[in-house]
Amino acid sequence: MLKNTAFTKFHIALGAKMVPFAGFNMPVQYEGLIAEHLTVRKGVGVFDVSHMGEIWVKGAKAFDSVQYITSNDVSKLYDGKVQYSCFPNGKGGIVDDLLVYRINAETYLLVVNAANIEKDWNWVCQHAEKMGMVVGKEVYNASDEIAQLAIQGPLALKAIQKLTPEPIENMEYYTFKKLEFAGVKDVILSTTGYTGSGGCEIYMANEDAEKIWNAVFEVGADFGIKPIGLGARDTLRLEMGFCLYGNDIDDTTSPLEAGLGWITKFTPEKNFIDKEFLLKQKQEGLKRKLVGFEVIDKGIPRQHYSICDAQGNKIGEVTSGTMSPSLNKPIGMGYVPVELSNPGSEIFIEVRGKLLKAVVVKLPFYKGE
Amino acid sequence: MIIPENLRYTRDHEWIKVEEDTAFIGISDYAQSQLGDIVFVEVETVGETLEKGESLGTIEAVKTVEDVYMPVNAEILEFNEKLKDSPDLLNKDPYGEGWIAKLKLSNPAEVNDLMDANAYKAYLESL
């Protein structure tokens, strides 16, 4: 049985094409993927991301617990700061990637992928119990109670400023505030997102969702605000080279191979799952790396297509691929041997039996207007 | 959903328009709406004679790729070159400017086996 979000009835009323995604009934597009994509790049668009999971970690052991199960350095957080991180899986791979919000020194909010909520919750509980934390109290899965909107684009913060007395337009990237929003108290607003075009994500209780949706579209009307589906969410993130769990990263890819070394911190004060393994991998050198590439010949790369060398030998697989709506070029990501991972390296993508020439490029693909 | 009366249709949502022993082929309004924004059309079978059910080319939307299948046995006479620069014609005008290929039918009577507009409409309603 597919789950609905607090906003499902709005999507259906707007004529969205609905698809099952990670167990949820979600809008994949409204007016059309390319138009929606460009709305976010140039103006402001709203995504229902209520399918994302939220796990609270609280109490005296909260810091130690989050520091141990995530790869990034939680000691760098301060109240109101957000951090991108991942859960290493104990075998050199990744359980999930996530955001860590520090509410205060003893309260953290972990925001995880919809497809992994159950797996992540079990993982968090397993380690919390070992540390003597109380499941259901010190760790708490609030995923079914919280609705979330991503309001993204260069006009996003300006469009919704009048819904809150707190100034939000100059908030630093990856920070958050707990504020009154559209008359609703205790809404969390963070300057985060998965598009590379700025804006914010807001978290609210399910029962406040309808009021907030209506208020956002009302004040956004002057800015041309539009609802955006999951289709554009994927092309927007791919243009930025942001990893998608299940495509570009999974239980078999190391964060270092995936280019997530910047969220994998080997400082002496921090002990975490797989620290030793990953440190050894770093010291010995990587064998493969996740890269971005542009296809020069005509054709579009898709997930699981083979990546080949000039002789036609398979050297890897495409993990994500699309026609980039902003650049109007076929782009993709995939793992290649480290010798072919530098920008400028020539690789080939096998598309329906033909080898199409492609070139490794520096990420992001989209560098702004 | 537009379903012109004068065309025949397949279960894979191609349409065919017969003019004596030649025909035009494209994809239906339903097919283009399901695919979404079409960004690339590839037909490299011009000059070949293909059997019913074989792929004559591919259509790439932003998110997916689909084959275009032969509704009947025929030779591929021509590819609609306009689609090279304007693949979105398949979205904008699937039954007109967005035609994909011109065919020479091996046996024009085969077209009678395909669905007419009423049958295709009923088929779409059954999906």
Side-chain angles (χ1 to χ4, degrees):
Chain A
M1 186 66 193
L2 283 182
K3 286 187 187 177
N4 285 330
T5 75
F7 304 110
T8 302
K9 68 170 184 183
F10 291 109
H11 308 317
I12 291 169
L14 286 162
K17 187 170 152 193
M18 304 296 288
V19 295
F21 180 82
F24 289 83
N25 185 22
M26 299 297 288
V28 67
Q29 68 166 51
Y30 301 82
E31 60 172 320
L33 195 159
I34 294 175
E36 291 166 33
H37 180 110
L38 299 176
T39 293
V40 173
R41 285 280 179 252
K42 293 177 177 147
V44 48
V46 180
F47 305 76
D48 175 5
V49 283
S50 304
H51 57 316
M52 302 292 285
E54 293 85 11
I55 296 171
W56 289 101
V57 184
K58 298 179 183 181
K61 291 171 182 161
F63 172 83
D64 286 341
S65 154
V66 179
Q67 185 74 314
Y68 181 67
I69 60 175
T70 65
S71 59
N72 208 337
D73 188 356
V74 185
S75 74
K76 294 283 186 265
L77 285 174
Y78 48 86
D79 296 355
K81 180 68 182 166
V82 191
Q83 187 175 67
Y84 179 55
S85 196
C86 74
F87 296 130
N89 73 353
K91 297 173 192 160
I94 300 172
V95 177
D96 200 4
D97 60 339
L98 73 154
L99 295 182
V100 180
Y101 289 65
R102 176 171 144 154
I103 311 292
N104 59 50
E106 295 197 347
T107 311
Y108 298 85
L109 175 65
L110 313 182
V111 180
V112 303
N113 283 300
N116 294 333
I117 293 174
E118 205 180 320
K119 180 172 87 157
D120 293 345
W121 172 237
N122 290 336
W123 185 254
V124 169
C125 287
Q126 184 189 324
H127 293 282
E129 279 174 339
K130 276 188 200 159
M131 299 180 78
M133 296 170 78
V134 183
V135 170
K137 194 173 166 217
E138 291 177 289
V139 289
Y140 182 79
N141 183 358
S143 304
D144 289 339
E145 298 155 27
I146 297 178
Q148 189 191 349
L149 292 177
I151 305 169
Q152 298 280 296
L155 301 180
L157 296 175
K158 196 174 171 163
I160 59 168
Q161 174 64 75
K162 68 173 79 146
L163 291 176
T164 177
E166 285 281 332
I168 57 171
E169 287 184 68
N170 294 319
M171 280 173 67
E172 267 179 56
Y173 191 48
Y174 266 62
T175 60
F176 73 93
K177 288 181 179 178
K178 207 176 210 184
L179 39 72
E180 185 180 323
F181 190 86
V184 176
K185 288 206 165 54
D186 293 336
V187 169
I188 291 176
L189 183 151
S190 59
T191 43
T192 51
Y194 199 38
T195 66
S197 279
C200 64
E201 295 176 297
I202 57 176
Y203 300 83
M204 69 214 83
N206 282 335
E207 45 277 26
D208 298 319
E210 206 170 316
K211 186 176 180 187
I212 287 179
W213 174 281
N214 286 328
V216 166
F217 279 90
E218 199 183 314
V219 298
D222 290 345
F223 299 85
I225 203 165
K226 284 181 179 168
I228 314 293
L230 289 181
R233 183 167 162 84
D234 189 49
T235 53
L236 287 158
R237 71 92 195 166
L238 184 50
E239 283 186 341
M240 295 307 296
F242 294 157
C243 290
L244 172 61
Y245 193 91
N247 280 43
D248 313 301
I249 51 176
D250 61 27
D251 272 298
T252 69
T253 62
S254 117
L256 303 179
E257 292 172 338
L260 301 178
W262 63 281
I263 60 161
T264 308
K265 296 292 165 61
F266 300 107
T267 52
E269 300 77 29
K270 177 179 168 70
N271 185 29
F272 66 99
I273 294 169
D274 278 343
K275 182 179 184 183
E276 219 165 293
F277 178 92
L278 293 171
L279 190 57
K280 189 161 167 248
Q281 188 177 60
K282 186 180 178 177
Q283 285 161 349
E284 288 177 354
L286 299 172
K287 290 189 177 61
R288 60 172 191 165
K289 272 188 184 172
L290 182 64
V291 296
F293 58 84
E294 288 179 9
V295 180
I296 309 297
D297 293 333
K298 276 255 177 187
I300 302 172
R302 307 283 179 187
Q303 192 183 13
H304 303 311
Y305 283 8
S306 294
I307 302 178
C308 300
D309 62 16
Q311 288 73 44
N313 303 305
K314 182 173 174 176
I315 54 169
E317 255 187 27
V318 176
T319 53
S320 290
T322 192
M323 180 67 112
S324 158
S326 302
L327 309 172
N328 203 22
K329 282 180 191 169
I331 58 171
M333 297 204 292
Y335 287 88
V336 299
V338 75
E339 311 84 74
L340 286 169
S341 66
N342 287 329
S345 301
E346 194 175 84
I347 56 175
F348 293 82
I349 312 300
E350 190 182 336
V351 179
R352 294 183 287 280
K354 279 189 303 187
L355 290 180
L356 304 188
K357 192 192 284 186
V359 61
V360 174
V361 298
K362 201 170 174 328
L363 295 172
F365 297 102
Y366 176 77
K367 295 174 175 73
E369 290 295 319
Chain B
M1 215 53 76
I2 302 165
I3 307 175
E5 287 289 333
N6 58 335
L7 308 178
R8 293 281 183 152
Y9 300 87
T10 70
R11 288 174 160 262
D12 299 312
H13 310 288
E14 290 90 8
W15 57 259
I16 183 166
K17 183 182 180 191
V18 180
E19 294 176 346
E20 296 179 357
D21 66 342
T22 62
F24 289 89
I25 177 179
I27 60 166
S28 72
D29 190 25
Y30 173 83
Q32 71 78 20
S33 74
Q34 288 294 307
L35 285 167
D37 294 319
I38 291 163
V39 290
F40 184 47
V41 184
E42 184 177 64
V43 173
E44 296 188 327
T45 48
V46 174
E48 293 178 30
T49 298
L50 300 180
E51 287 182 17
K52 178 177 178 170
E54 281 191 274
S55 169
L56 75 102
T58 50
I59 298 174
E60 302 252 17
V62 182
K63 296 288 288 179
T64 52
V65 53
E66 287 290 342
D67 280 296
V68 183
Y69 296 104
M70 293 293 285
V72 292
N73 298 312
E75 180 189 348
I76 315 297
L77 294 178
E78 193 183 332
F79 168 53
N80 181 2
E81 298 284 331
K82 276 190 188 169
L83 299 180
K84 283 188 175 166
D85 291 326
S86 307
D88 58 337
L89 286 172
L90 265 76
N91 293 118
K92 289 178 181 157
D93 189 8
Y95 299 112
E97 294 271 291
W99 63 274
I100 294 171
K102 190 176 176 186
L103 312 177
K104 182 171 171 43
L105 303 177
S106 307
N107 175 9
E110 282 178 347
V111 174
N112 296 327
D113 298 338
L114 302 174
M115 289 180 273
D116 63 15
N118 278 334
Y120 183 59
K121 185 163 178 275
Y123 172 63
L124 288 186
E125 282 162 4
S126 76
L127 293 180

